[in-house]
Amino acid sequence: MFMGSVSAASNSSLTWTEVENSSYAVQSFTESKGDIPSSVSVSGKKVTDNAYLEVLCKAVVKANVNDKTSVTVVAEGNAPAPSGTASGTLTKSQYLTVANNIKSFYVSNDRAPNYAESSLGNIRYETLVYMYSKIMNYYRIHDTLPSSISFSHISGISSSGAYVDATAPTVNGNIPWGTYNTPKTVTLTASDNADTTPTIYYRLNQGAWSSATKTVSLSMGEGRTYLDFYAYDDSGNRAPTYSGYFTIDMDGPSVTASPTGSCYNSSKLVSLIASDNFDASPVIYYTLNGSDPSSSSLRYSSPLNITNTTTLNFLAIDNMGNVGPVSSEVYTIGNPVVNINTGKTYSKIQDALDDVLTLNGHVIQLYSATFLENIVINKNVTLMAALDAVVNALNSSLPVFTINSNGSGSTIQGLVITGATSSYGVYLNQALNCNIIGNTLTNNNNSIA
């Protein structure tokens, strides 16, 4: 099958990365000059062409079983009379068979073959070096062997050798990963010991990869942007992939109070809860005197005990210094009845209705309480629940609400009306055009009359 003979000895090895990088250098050299290099130098190691073909064939066989251990280099003899003119395409199984045959030839003859037999005819020695450098360079890029390989006929050995630049480029950004409160432009710049224009590959938010020569500027807007990038030089050296994210946070946090402001008949523990798009624990500041809060105000740490009528103002500041809006809640403690037109408060509904300051058209709001009353309405007013309000008959034989003619047009809305077990929940005593809506009437002898 092969022709020739000579002696050789094992003297060194190439790491898997050195084999991959040198294959790129040999393929590029051959395609540029038309001849294979007389040697290839990588990481201070110089391998002659006749020994390098054996290295390539060993590597291809290893790659087929995903074995990426080092490859021994043996000082083999030259091919004495290279011959053969075949070119074209071999399938994976065909070029693996040829590689194993070449390995066996080296073991038996201690020298490079003049040619190798194939289905295409005899493949010349120099062509074999070129073909297997293409196969290994494909593996370097794709981490798998090609399903087939196409090659042209090569018939010469250059007096020059190929040099492998084994130093990967570096990529630096102008700002570090992190969180910022203004939009940023991230500029990536690649540099290399030999290549003046390395290529940067990058992607945003796990999307498609893009590339740029030497430098690229990327705009980071509101939100969180994930960035991956690496670089290649013209010798095929790949920088490691760097990954991280930039967070642009320009929104201040919001704060809610629980319970919300209202009229209560006893003190309340009020909790303030802040939420932010990125900061898990914004700082809350508050005032109890109606003034606007700031970072110099009281700092919230635990629920506030509101014991008297209080205007509670509050805001939050996140860890980027973004200040949220001021929110306000008013807590009226003690009297659960409020005339929203006059601002006066009362402990009983009837007191609010009988007040001379309460006029036709006024709105009386009832807050969270249970009122034990039988109520008589003699004005055109609106009685409505701001929170859950229960009106229970003091005397179960009388209506809970009696609306006389002077109360025509009145509205009763959103109340629980109960307890008139021998009478009516709402009794319209010659009153017209009243609106009794959204109420729950229960445990009355009759609901409305």
Side-chain angles (χ1 to χ4, degrees):
M1 182 185 297
F2 300 106
M3 300 172 58
S5 66
V6 193
S7 65
S10 177
N11 56 12
S12 65
S13 64
L14 297 182
T15 67
W16 191 257
T17 299
E18 290 169 345
V19 173
E20 289 185 326
N21 289 340
S22 62
S23 69
Y24 173 81
V26 171
Q27 178 185 345
S28 299
F29 184 101
T30 305
E31 292 174 350
S32 172
K33 300 183 180 299
D35 295 326
I36 65 169
S38 58
S39 63
V40 57
S41 297
V42 55
S43 304
K45 307 168 188 177
K46 185 176 182 179
V47 183
T48 59
D49 63 273
N50 43 292
Y52 189 64
L53 175 59
E54 183 181 24
V55 169
L56 288 171
C57 291
K58 289 177 180 177
V60 168
V61 173
K62 281 174 170 282
N64 189 48
V65 293
N66 201 33
D67 177 2
K68 297 183 181 181
T69 57
S70 297
V71 180
T72 56
V73 179
V74 179
E76 304 286 13
N78 294 326
S83 62
T85 59
S87 63
T89 301
L90 293 180
T91 65
K92 179 179 177 181
S93 62
Q94 289 172 332
Y95 68 68
L96 283 171
T97 297
V98 173
N100 278 302
N101 289 338
I102 293 173
K103 283 179 58 184
S104 299
F105 182 89
Y106 271 106
V107 171
S108 300
N109 297 278
D110 297 331
R111 72 160 177 85
N114 291 321
Y115 62 85
E117 293 177 352
S118 75
S119 60
L120 299 173
N122 291 342
I123 305 174
R124 187 181 174 98
Y125 161 71
E126 295 98 321
T127 305
L128 292 170
V129 174
Y130 171 57
M131 180 181 76
Y132 283 107
S133 69
K134 284 190 69 176
I135 293 170
M136 280 308 301
N137 188 40
Y138 183 98
Y139 188 88
R140 176 187 68 84
I141 298 170
H142 301 284
D143 203 33
T144 186
L145 290 173
S147 59
S148 63
I149 190 70
S150 298
F151 59 94
S152 55
H153 174 65
I154 305 296
S155 60
I157 302 174
S158 173
S159 59
S160 302
Y163 169 76
V164 177
D165 171 18
T167 302
T170 59
V171 187
N172 293 300
N174 62 320
I175 59 174
W177 310 109
T179 302
Y180 301 90
N181 60 5
T182 58
K184 295 295 180 184
T185 298
V186 178
T187 300
L188 304 176
T189 303
S191 58
D192 187 69
N193 62 321
D195 183 5
T196 59
T197 56
T199 301
I200 298 173
Y201 293 86
Y202 64 93
R203 65 178 179 178
L204 300 176
N205 297 321
Q206 308 267 301
W209 287 97
S210 300
S211 63
T213 300
K214 192 172 178 62
T215 185
V216 63
S217 292
L218 306 169
S219 296
M220 301 294 161
E222 176 77 13
R224 177 165 289 172
T225 302
Y226 290 87
L227 172 63
D228 304 298
F229 61 88
Y230 63 92
Y232 266 116
D233 65 19
D234 60 4
S235 294
N237 297 303
R238 186 188 192 279
T241 299
Y242 297 95
S243 300
Y245 60 84
F246 292 92
T247 300
I248 308 301
D249 178 11
M250 298 187 293
D251 293 333
S254 60
V255 187
T256 57
S258 178
T260 56
S262 186
C263 183
Y264 299 98
N265 56 10
S266 63
S267 63
K268 285 293 176 182
L269 280 177
V270 178
S271 296
L272 299 179
I273 303 164
S275 61
D276 186 70
N277 51 348
F278 295 110
D279 184 1
S281 54
V283 179
I284 302 172
Y285 298 93
Y286 68 95
T287 62
L288 298 170
N289 59 6
S291 63
D292 284 343
S294 68
S295 59
S296 299
S297 301
L298 296 170
R299 180 168 175 165
Y300 176 82
S301 59
S302 60
L304 306 173
N305 188 19
I306 306 297
T307 60
N308 49 42
T309 299
T310 300
T311 298
L312 173 62
N313 290 339
F314 47 89
L315 59 75
I317 302 175
D318 66 21
N319 56 7
M320 295 306 299
N322 296 308
V323 180
V326 174
S327 297
S328 182
E329 298 285 353
V330 177
Y331 296 87
T332 301
I333 305 298
N335 291 326
V337 183
V338 180
N339 183 324
I340 67 171
N341 298 96
T342 65
K344 287 190 67 174
T345 64
Y346 310 85
S347 61
K348 294 183 178 181
I349 302 171
Q350 194 67 57
D351 290 345
L353 293 171
D354 293 344
D355 191 333
V356 295
L357 296 178
T358 300
L359 304 177
N360 289 331
H362 280 191
V363 176
I364 310 298
Q365 284 192 335
L366 310 181
Y367 289 84
S368 182
T370 297
F371 301 90
L372 193 60
E373 301 184 55
N374 296 97
I375 298 160
V376 178
I377 301 175
N378 288 304
K379 299 174 183 178
N380 177 1
V381 294
T382 295
L383 283 172
M384 60 185 299
L387 288 175
D388 296 337
V390 178
V391 184
N392 192 78
L394 175 63
N395 185 339
S396 63
S397 298
L398 298 175
V400 180
F401 285 96
T402 299
I403 306 177
N404 294 324
S405 60
N406 288 338
S408 294
S410 291
T411 296
I412 299 176
Q413 179 177 347
L415 307 180
V416 176
I417 301 172
T418 185
T421 55
S422 300
S423 188
Y424 300 99
V426 178
Y427 176 60
L428 302 178
N429 182 25
Q430 299 183 2
L432 303 174
N433 301 319
C434 294
N435 298 303
I436 315 301
I437 55 176
N439 302 285
T440 301
L441 289 100
T442 180
N443 198 31
N444 302 298
N445 186 49
N446 290 287
S447 296
I448 301 174

